[in-house]
Amino acid sequence: MGMNQQFRTTASWDQAIDLLDYRFPLTEGSHASVTSYLTYFDHLVAIQSDGTTTGLVHPSQFVEASGVEDAPSCIRLEHEGLQVEIEPGRTHGGSGQDVPEHRMQLLTDIAAA
């Protein structure tokens, strides 16, 4: 059962961000401030809005990514049976600022995890 949801740093997508921060926490910061993701030697790297980089607290939660390393088109994470896919958005101009539109899809029912 999948829920194909965009998540942004707006109130309507806070639950998706909260889920990512709770189940797949970053060593520093929040998924809410991630502008892009990339992979480096089988590790997920999150680039924050201030330009700093961080990774997952539990690197083994990163399962795979498709696309190119510096711009994956899909990232799969897994934690205790709960699997999610993140489709990183590309920044584009909108009202004077670049805002990435990421998408998240639950691959397993959250009640089953």
Side-chain angles (χ1 to χ4, degrees), residues 7-9 16-37 44-49 54-57 61 75 77 84 86 100 102 104:
F7 69 94
R8 304 181 211 188
T9 54
I17 293 166
D18 288 346
L19 172 77
L20 289 170
D21 285 344
Y22 179 72
R23 297 284 181 131
F24 307 98
L26 299 172
T27 56
E28 295 180 25
S30 166
H31 287 275
S33 62
V34 172
T35 58
S36 60
Y37 295 92
L44 181 65
V45 178
I47 301 172
Q48 303 282 352
S49 59
T54 188
L56 295 168
V57 169
Q61 291 179 324
I75 297 164
L77 305 175
V84 300
I86 299 171
H102 306 299
M104 184 187 81

Side-chain angles (χ1 to χ4, degrees), residues 86-98:
I86 299 171
E87 296 173 10
R90 301 294 163 242
T91 57
H92 64 278
S95 65
Q97 66 182 30
D98 290 338

Side-chain angles (χ1 to χ4, degrees), residues 50-64:
D50 65 1
T52 60
T53 59
T54 188
L56 295 168
V57 169
H58 307 288
S60 63
Q61 291 179 324
F62 171 63
V63 177
E64 65 181 340

